[in-house]
Amino acid sequence: MMLNTSFLSMWLSNTASTAMMLPIASAILKNLFGLKEIQKDLSRESEENAAAVRTKVRHPVSTEIQFLANTEELQVMSQSPTGEGAHHVASKTRSKDCPEEAETSLDLSATSTKEEEYRRNVWKGLLLSIPYSASIGGTATLTGTAPNLILLGGLKSFFPQCDTVNFGSWFIFAFPLMLLFLLLGWLWICFLYAGMTLRGWRKKKSNIRADAEHRAQAVIQEEYKNLGPMKFAEQAVFILFCMFAILLFFRDPKFIPGWANLFTPGFTSDAVMGVAVVTVLFFFPSQRPSLKWWFDFKAPNTETEPLLTWTKAQHSIPWNVIILLGGGFAMAKGCEQSGLSLWISDQLHPLEGMPPMLAVFIITAVIIFFTEFASNTATIIIFLPVLSELAIRLKVHPLYLMIPATVGCSYAFMLPVSTPPNSIAFASGHLLVKDMMRAGFLMNLIGLLLLNMAINTWAQPIFQLGTFPEWAHNHSASVTALPPASVANKTLRAL
């Protein structure tokens, strides 16, 4: 599930990937544990959310859902052929008059309690793994998440001569980082919620758990068969998507000459492939054309619907995101032109005496903490102009500070309000804030350590981070034309 979600998030938005995969995860869990177990989990989660209301925790489960869950549990238990349901109902009736006797009669065996706890933890772990993997997978491509696009636009604005970052070079840097983070994140979630330990690998699975896994696998295979063969439109979109990814990756991958070298420098960009593929979608037919039509002059000229229509595109394109990105570019340029980013970088002079590696670690930690309470887009819009000016003052490669800040904006795992995928998972009603805090804190720490390891190892030769580039020298000469005091005075007067 984590691999599938992260792959989708590389090409779709994190929110869309999470909204697509969560229903699939719920269906798998229902077939894995059966109806009776799911109703028990819903009842227990309703009790936990009711307790959350008493402690003033947000997003509680409504009273109607709690009542329905408890009623369904009574109905299922009462229909049990072994008579356990009647005993359960009778014990609940006696609990009104004799609470001590009720508590004694409701004690479960150790095995049953462990199985129930295991089911509930697996449910929470799977719900958390999907938004986490969506946030991680979005960092692997430039088009995966909004902060990556803002970084690319900011580089075009701050350093027009910088051509180091493109789809291929970013993918070579971010894809191994994504795989490592997914692996460690999977291990952490399995250890926290699935009870995976070194000793557990040697233990044999129980018959109940093995039967449930076989039943869920059979359901998945049956649903896959119901999909049937791929349609012509699906095949066409898949081929165009593969062409789009290959052309993006090999345009200028840096480690080998790309096909962009066949043209004049600056003639092609990543946007060229996007516009070209989308243009093909507007006139490519959605149904397989007949070759007889080309030779039969008496055949009727019937209209064929294309793969993509303008009406569909008009309703599907997130225009609000485009306007948000444009506003972010304008705000970042305003901070640069007004001197506000230079003034803020002057206040960070204590970082000048630190080693660049330590400065990057501190900056990344601050941004990861900041993005827990603010949106990823707002965070990178605020910090990107400041970091570009700070890199000039520290005489380090600007990407050495800007890339960790950009990727760190997507590492928000602790709170439901941190990212839309977290909010979608939390809205399912099976998670509490403490569950996300407990799992997300170590996820943030793992992301911080992996990101700093990546920027100081394999990112160095990819982006030439060990040098101070010529385009940064040109920007430094233009920025330092005014003394810092006059820039600060102008900025304060503007505010």
Side-chain angles (χ1 to χ4, degrees):
M1 293 295 293
M2 294 184 70
L3 285 175
N4 293 336
T5 306
S6 59
F7 178 78
L8 289 175
S9 185
M10 289 168 57
W11 314 102
L12 305 176
S13 67
N14 301 347
T15 307
S17 303
T18 305
M20 185 186 304
M21 296 300 295
L22 272 180
I24 299 176
S26 300
I28 292 175
L29 286 173
K30 289 179 180 179
N31 288 282
L32 181 64
F33 297 140
L35 181 61
K36 179 178 177 180
E37 286 79 1
I38 292 302
Q39 289 170 346
K40 286 185 178 180
D41 291 343
L42 287 174
S43 177
R44 181 170 292 234
E45 292 296 336
S46 300
E47 294 175 1
E48 291 182 1
N49 283 285
V53 175
R54 291 192 293 270
T55 55
K56 298 182 180 180
V57 177
R58 283 187 167 184
H59 302 284
V61 176
S62 62
T63 308
E64 293 80 5
I65 296 179
Q66 299 174 26
F67 175 75
L68 289 175
N70 293 329
T71 304
E72 290 174 354
E73 180 183 354
L74 289 174
Q75 291 175 353
V76 172
M77 295 299 293
S78 62
Q79 295 173 1
S80 176
T82 60
E84 294 176 2
H87 177 71
H88 183 72
V89 175
S91 63
K92 282 194 172 184
T93 305
R94 290 195 303 269
S95 65
K96 297 180 180 180
D97 301 327
C98 188
E100 296 179 357
E101 183 181 354
E103 291 179 1
T104 305
S105 62
L106 287 177
D107 286 339
L108 299 174
S109 63
T111 305
S112 177
T113 304
K114 289 182 180 179
E115 288 292 336
E116 186 178 354
E117 185 73 18
Y118 173 78
R119 290 191 293 266
R120 187 168 63 254
N121 287 335
V122 169
W123 185 280
K124 291 182 179 180
L126 194 57
L127 286 180
L128 285 175
S129 65
I130 291 176
Y132 287 177
S133 56
S135 298
I136 296 171
T139 62
T141 60
L142 277 177
T143 58
T145 186
N148 297 356
L149 294 174
I150 293 177
L151 170 66
L152 187 62
L155 288 176
K156 299 294 183 182
S157 177
F158 304 144
F159 310 106
Q161 299 177 355
C162 175
D163 59 349
T164 308
V165 179
N166 55 43
F167 189 91
S169 61
W170 182 272
F171 186 82
I172 296 173
F173 158 72
F175 186 71
L177 176 62
M178 182 201 75
L179 292 180
L180 285 175
F181 201 177
L182 278 178
L183 176 62
L184 294 180
W186 173 75
L187 291 175
W188 166 238
I189 292 177
C190 289
F191 171 78
L192 186 62
Y193 289 107
M196 186 185 71
T197 58
L198 294 177
R199 186 181 302 176
W201 288 100
R202 304 174 184 176
K203 291 184 179 180
K204 187 178 180 180
K205 293 182 181 179
S206 63
N207 294 331
I208 299 176
R209 195 174 302 176
D211 293 340
E213 291 180 359
H214 287 307
R215 186 170 62 250
Q217 186 177 5
V219 171
I220 294 174
Q221 293 178 353
E222 182 180 357
E223 292 294 334
Y224 179 75
K225 291 179 181 178
N226 293 336
L227 292 176
M230 291 184 64
K231 300 178 181 179
F232 175 77
E234 296 171 344
Q235 295 175 353
V237 172
F238 177 74
I239 293 174
L240 290 174
F241 168 76
C242 293
M243 292 176 56
F244 171 68
I246 293 172
L247 289 175
L248 275 179
F249 185 81
F250 289 101
R251 184 182 72 86
D252 189 15
K254 301 300 180 183
F255 61 93
I256 58 173
W259 60 266
N261 295 336
L262 302 176
F263 301 92
T264 306
F267 184 78
T268 61
S269 64
D270 291 338
V272 172
M273 282 74 68
V275 174
V277 172
V278 170
T279 303
V280 173
L281 292 176
F282 277 111
F283 64 82
F284 199 88
S286 60
Q287 296 182 358
R288 189 186 303 274
S290 177
L291 295 179
K292 296 181 180 179
W293 183 86
W294 296 96
F295 303 100
D296 188 2
F297 296 100
K298 297 181 180 180
N301 189 12
T302 57
E303 184 178 358
T304 304
E305 184 178 0
L307 292 173
L308 181 65
T309 61
W310 176 246
T311 303
K312 181 66 176 178
Q314 201 172 9
H315 291 288
S316 302
I317 294 177
W319 300 104
N320 54 341
V321 176
I322 297 176
I323 296 174
L324 179 63
L325 292 176
F329 296 149
M331 184 179 297
K333 192 66 176 179
C335 292
E336 180 194 9
Q337 295 294 330
S338 64
L340 178 61
S341 58
L342 181 61
W343 179 81
I344 296 177
S345 65
D346 290 338
Q347 312 309 311
L348 301 178
H349 59 85
L351 294 176
E352 296 182 12
M354 296 182 181
M357 188 180 301
L358 181 59
V360 170
F361 185 86
I362 294 175
I363 291 171
T364 309
V366 170
I367 290 178
I368 290 177
F369 174 79
F370 188 86
T371 194
E372 293 287 350
F373 306 95
S375 68
N376 304 346
T377 306
T379 302
I380 195 61
I381 288 173
I382 293 172
F383 281 97
L384 204 59
V386 177
L387 294 178
S388 64
E389 300 296 343
L390 181 61
I392 299 299
R393 293 181 62 87
L394 299 178
K395 294 298 181 181
V396 298
H397 201 294
L399 294 178
Y400 188 65
L401 300 182
M402 299 170 75
I403 289 179
T406 303
V407 178
C409 285
S410 299
Y411 290 170
F413 307 107
M414 291 180 60
L415 296 175
V417 297
S418 301
T419 59
N422 291 4
S423 302
I424 294 175
F426 186 79
S428 64
H430 296 281
L431 294 172
L432 297 176
V433 176
K434 64 179 182 180
D435 297 327
M436 303 195 73
M437 293 280 289
R438 183 173 59 169
F441 177 77
L442 190 60
M443 290 290 293
N444 284 352
L445 184 59
I446 294 173
L448 175 63
L449 296 177
L450 286 179
L451 183 55
N452 281 268
M453 180 191 71
I455 202 65
N456 289 290
T457 52
W458 66 80
Q460 295 281 337
I462 295 175
F463 301 109
Q464 294 87 38
L465 299 181
T467 62
F468 192 68
E470 186 64 28
W471 43 266
H473 276 292
N474 299 335
H475 182 79
S476 177
S478 62
V479 168
T480 56
L482 292 175
S486 62
V487 172
N489 292 336
K490 289 184 178 180
T491 304
L492 291 176
R493 284 197 300 268
L495 295 175

